[in-house]
Amino acid sequence: MRTFERSAAWMLWALLLLSVVQRAFVLGTFGFQYIGIDDALIQQVAIDYGNGIFREPYLYGQNYNPMLEALLAAPFVRLGGAPWIVLPIITSLLALLPFWSIALWCRRNGQESAALVFAAMPLFLPTEWGLITTMPRGFVHGIALLGLVPWIIHLQRPGLKHGLTSVVLAGAV
């Protein structure tokens, strides 16, 4: 059984690396090449956030979702990163975070097969999923929050566990 655990650990890290390589390909061929009007707006928001300008709650006359992607990208944009490069990377990481988090949680809890399944999921999702989760649209941060759930449900203090679960799930919605 020890051999399976060691092999599963290598396979898990290989799958995580493959998902990074696949996402790098999607970013290079699509995410860094094309932008829409929403992308341009979120890029401007990242620039504004990087300069300390916050225009909430009605951002540029629109009632948008919270701009977490722009907020996470703002320090990198402030340091000179191109927003059309930084934002798709942040969006991609947020989209992959729950798969990686749940896979690592399963591995930590001795569920090697489940860890491999979760690590492989991004590789088997349709191309359209890769494309839509490369474009900053303000919805992947809800997906990313779901990666916290397995870690929270094993907290020992019931009040903290239920409170954090409620906050995370409400934020994801």
Side-chain angles (χ1 to χ4, degrees):
M1 194 60 162
R2 200 77 179 135
T3 305
F4 173 71
E5 290 173 4
R6 195 172 305 121
S7 298
W10 280 104
M11 287 188 287
L12 174 68
W13 290 110
L15 287 169
L16 294 176
L17 180 63
L18 277 173
S19 68
V20 169
V21 169
Q22 179 193 40
R23 186 49 62 126
F25 177 76
V26 172
L27 285 167
T29 58
F30 177 76
F32 300 150
Q33 303 295 323
Y34 305 100
I35 66 167
I37 189 67
D38 287 336
D39 301 316
L41 177 71
I42 296 172
Q43 290 174 13
Q44 184 58 50
V45 172
I47 293 167
D48 286 351
Y49 283 179
N51 291 315
I53 302 168
F54 295 88
R55 302 179 193 264
E56 269 74 16
Y58 291 101
L59 184 72
Y60 301 99
Q62 299 292 321
N63 186 9
Y64 281 94
N65 288 335
M67 296 288 179
L68 182 63
E69 292 155 296
L71 188 62
L72 294 173
F76 301 105
V77 172
R78 176 72 177 166
L79 292 172
W84 55 89
I85 301 293
V86 174
L87 274 161
I89 292 172
I90 296 288
T91 302
S92 294
L93 290 174
L94 289 173
L96 293 171
L97 181 67
F99 298 106
W100 295 345
S101 174
I102 294 170
L104 294 174
W105 180 84
C106 289
R107 168 86 171 103
R108 181 176 183 251
N109 289 290
Q111 300 169 351
E112 308 296 338
S113 298
L116 294 174
V117 168
F118 275 103
M121 275 186 194
L123 299 170
F124 294 107
L125 289 170
T127 302
E128 294 82 6
W129 185 85
L131 299 178
I132 195 71
T133 58
T134 298
M135 301 182 301
R137 289 288 187 263
F139 69 87
V140 295
H141 55 272
I143 295 170
L145 285 173
L146 297 177
L148 299 174
V149 172
W151 301 95
I152 292 171
I153 62 172
H154 281 287
L155 292 174
Q156 296 301 317
R157 296 177 51 201
L160 182 62
K161 173 172 52 174
H162 298 307
L164 283 176
T165 302
S166 300
V167 168
V168 166
L169 292 178
V173 170

